[in-house]
Amino acid sequence: MTLIKMQTGDRFVANSAEIFQRYGVTLEVGYDFEEYRSLLKEARPDHELGAPYDPRLREMTAQNALWIVGRNTAGKVVHTQALRMLENHSLSVGEYFTRRFREYPPSVRTLDLERSRFRAGPGAMRMFGSVAYHGEFWIAPGAESLRGQGMSCVLGRYGFFEAIQHWDPDHIVAFMAKGIAFKGLAERTGWMHTQPGALRWFLKGNDVPIEGFMAYMDREDLHYVLELPLNDLVEMAA
């Protein structure tokens, strides 16, 4: 096990706190996903809580899952993300999702799960041990949005930081639509590795699939990313 470098955590907390204060963002970490569902209904009424984080489908506790919301100075929710530990046991990430990827769909009601598929890449087949799954990443749009301000760099890394503090996982993974990946979200939020062609989600009555990437990192990657200077990243991504 790699020991957490306290100076890395201290540096990230100090730098991110200054940036959050500059932009008037306050973050809250929670564990009750019914409460999170209620927050989503207010902040994102067109979005349903994703199946991977639905406590009605699986047991979600303070030991295996958390959510993060960011509020602006008016108290309005302007950011969300969530993490949970996978129950992959002795399976590699590739084997786990080959068997269970249908439990991690995008929040779309008309999915044709029978036609959809997951393709395990070499990286996924090499990943064993404890694995955190990251999702629900959203920044509110609008005239006063944090989008385009470089804040995704800090918010994404804050999720990584909380994963380390809670579980110090061997790996962390996420799925994202190809179009979003091509716009650079993976790079901005700090992901060091991506696998194209990981997912093909079909909609009922439509033969054109939604293609997805899998982003992933190991423990050493997480620590490396959190050691990078934040202010430079925010300025470059803005």
Side-chain angles (χ1 to χ4, degrees), residues 123-169:
M125 297 303 295
R126 288 194 294 265
M127 284 188 276
F128 289 88
S130 59
V131 183
Y133 177 79
H134 184 270
E136 293 282 312
F137 192 89
W138 171 79
I139 298 175
E144 299 180 0
S145 174
L146 296 173
R147 296 184 184 185
Q149 305 293 322
M151 280 296 290
S152 58
C153 296
V154 191
L155 293 168
R157 286 163 174 78
Y158 191 84
F160 301 158
F161 172 76
E162 289 295 344
I164 290 175
Q165 295 303 303
H166 282 77
W167 309 300
D168 195 24

Side-chain angles (χ1 to χ4, degrees), residues 106-136:
S107 187
V108 179
R109 294 183 179 181
T110 57
L111 284 177
D112 186 338
L113 294 178
E114 291 301 317
R115 288 196 296 161
S116 300
R117 65 109 173 112
F118 171 79
R119 182 178 184 180
M125 297 303 295
R126 288 194 294 265
M127 284 188 276
F128 289 88
S130 59
V131 183
Y133 177 79
H134 184 270
E136 293 282 312

